[in-house]
Amino acid sequence: MYRLTQAQPGQMSEILAFAEHAFAAQEKGPDFAQMLPKLYGRGRATESEHTLLYNGDVLEGMYALRVLDAKAAGEPLRVGWIGTVAVRREARGKGHLERLMQHANRRLETLGCDLGVLGGQRQRYQRFGYDCAGTQWEFCLDARSLRDVPARGLALREIGRASPDLARAEAQYRRGTICCHRAPEDFYDVLCSWDARPWAFYRGAEYAGYCTVQQSGGCAVIWEFCPLRAEDAPAACKAVMQRLQCGALRVSLPPWAGGAQQALADAAARTRLAENHSYRVLRWERVLRAAMAVRSAVGPPLCPGALRLSVRGGPDLEIFSGPDGAGVRTLSHGAPGLRLSANEAVRLVLGPDSALVRGAAGAPPGWLPFPLAFSWQDGI
């Protein structure tokens, strides 16, 4: 008989052993304690964030769910992050993924989440209401593309757990347009998520920003890139490549056209607008209100117009912009509007492939997608 239950204190070693076995590509799986120290690091008591699936007394599946309160241009969002979704290899093909994800979706509702977010293969989670959405810029750079970029006096210093730069980085993160709650005692481990290391930029004795870098061989990825001065962005990338001796660098930045984004677009070998994560919207008005607040904060302004949207299994909505401002409201059911599935709707209003979704031509020009993205450091 199958049963789903919340993990209890003292089960962390069992959870880790199960996850590492389930995700093992060969004999040994990933080191979860190193990869996600905020969840699995030494001394962490996060068992209650895990749901375990038993067949009798045998553990056959699990997932983790962490709820974070976020702010998007001042608008509150309650975000449920799902991760470590695992099924014992010998028990696959028995419908365990469906049991786990249906349970996770019910818990998102119970916990009052506005949005569910996860990584992972799109086709694996699409049928549970998650689709590629949110947007982020990705800039690919190499030594040749940065060859003529002036160094601007920038140098790199690694941020340690007791470093005064940690408080500077935390204060800077909290000033960002979109941020999730990170407890001060957890901030260092959050920055170290996904095998990343945090670094501070310095110009002489002056703090000039921070970044988190995941390095694999001669390549590196910057997941959280926060130079204090936008014009320093290319020089900051050059400092990372020189200090870490990597030949290629990929940088993720939020989806708006800010100064750092523009500076890297000029220098990068390649630039693309990519999906941020897979999203499942639970409370459409709150999510759209937050995304529109971000758009209002970073621009460009919306032209006058309206978009009516009927989400299958969800609300009928009108997104509008006019002389008195922009916003979103719920309409009475049966109001005429573009009828889409929840997956199509999230891709239309928030996804990088918005223009390819059925009915996209009916949106006022230049509106979509609305900008929304979360740092990968907050993911599980």
Side-chain angles (χ1 to χ4, degrees):
M1 179 179 290
Y2 297 119
R3 60 186 173 90
L4 285 151
T5 183
Q6 297 308 115
Q8 299 299 310
Q11 285 192 277
M12 184 54 72
S13 59
E14 181 183 10
I15 289 169
L16 279 171
F18 182 85
E20 289 171 3
H21 175 73
F23 282 94
Q26 298 175 353
E27 292 185 3
K28 184 174 174 58
D31 183 342
F32 277 78
Q34 177 179 316
M35 185 171 67
L36 285 173
K38 64 189 176 187
L39 199 61
Y40 301 114
R42 185 174 181 178
R44 289 287 176 179
T46 59
E47 291 95 335
S48 63
E49 297 181 80
H50 294 78
T51 297
L52 308 181
L53 172 65
Y54 286 95
N55 181 7
D57 293 329
V58 179
L59 178 59
E60 293 199 339
M62 76 172 188
Y63 71 87
L65 172 59
R66 169 166 287 191
V67 177
L68 294 178
D69 290 314
K71 289 288 182 69
E75 286 288 331
L77 273 181
R78 193 163 174 80
V79 183
W81 293 86
I82 295 174
T84 324
V85 183
V87 174
R88 187 166 67 95
R89 282 179 283 174
E90 298 81 0
R92 291 172 186 171
K94 297 181 179 180
H96 286 353
L97 179 63
E98 185 160 356
R99 291 183 179 92
L100 293 167
M101 290 306 301
Q102 287 181 351
H103 188 269
N105 283 343
R106 289 194 297 270
R107 288 200 67 218
L108 289 173
E109 291 277 5
T110 301
L111 294 169
C113 293
D114 303 312
L115 184 68
V117 182
L118 53 75
Q121 187 184 45
R122 178 189 187 190
Q123 282 71 24
R124 190 179 190 213
Y125 298 103
Q126 203 172 26
R127 62 193 172 104
F128 305 113
Y130 296 83
D131 220 319
C132 295
T135 49
Q136 62 186 31
W137 288 111
E138 291 187 353
F139 303 95
C140 296
L141 305 108
D142 54 28
R144 184 174 182 179
S145 61
L146 294 173
R147 180 181 56 196
D148 298 326
V149 170
R152 301 178 69 91
L154 290 179
L156 221 58
R157 297 185 191 177
E158 188 166 6
I159 298 176
R161 193 179 292 274
S163 168
D165 292 329
L166 192 61
R168 298 184 181 104
E170 182 181 1
Q172 188 180 348
Y173 172 77
R174 290 183 176 181
R175 293 194 298 269
T177 304
I178 299 175
C179 61
C180 289
H181 173 71
R182 299 175 179 176
E185 63 271 20
D186 295 338
F187 193 78
Y188 179 78
D189 285 339
V190 172
L191 294 186
C192 291
S193 297
W194 308 116
D195 291 318
R197 294 161 65 192
W199 298 86
F201 298 113
Y202 266 82
R203 180 179 286 104
E206 176 190 2
Y207 173 82
Y210 78 95
C211 68
T212 66
V213 185
Q214 177 197 54
Q215 190 172 10
S216 177
C219 300
V221 178
I222 297 182
W223 289 118
E224 199 161 287
F225 184 58
C226 303
L228 282 178
R229 301 179 189 175
E231 62 270 22
D232 281 344
C237 290
K238 190 171 188 175
V240 169
M241 292 186 70
Q242 290 177 342
R243 174 63 185 269
L244 301 184
Q245 297 183 332
C246 52
L249 183 64
R250 179 162 58 89
V251 184
S252 293
L253 276 174
W256 44 85
Q261 289 88 333
Q262 291 170 346
L264 286 187
D266 287 341
R270 294 184 306 280
T271 300
R272 73 182 185 114
L273 189 65
E275 70 277 2
N276 177 238
H277 288 86
S278 286
Y279 291 177
R280 177 176 180 260
V281 176
L282 289 88
R283 290 171 175 77
W284 281 93
E285 270 203 71
R286 290 175 67 90
V287 172
L288 287 172
R289 192 177 297 120
M292 294 178 73
V294 174
R295 174 64 178 266
S296 178
V298 301
L302 297 175
C303 68
L307 174 64
R308 287 190 171 185
L309 188 64
S310 296
V311 182
R312 193 179 307 147
D316 291 348
L317 301 164
E318 183 179 53
I319 309 167
F320 61 89
S321 177
D324 298 325
V328 57
R329 53 185 165 233
T330 302
L331 304 173
S332 59
H333 278 292
L338 180 60
R339 299 188 181 279
L340 298 174
S341 69
N343 290 59
E344 290 174 320
V346 75
R347 287 173 52 214
L348 175 70
V349 297
L350 297 173
D353 63 345
S354 174
L356 305 179
V357 178
R358 176 171 57 90
W367 270 29
L368 303 178
F370 291 123
L372 193 65
F374 300 97
S375 171
W376 277 81
Q377 303 305 122
D378 289 306
I380 57 171

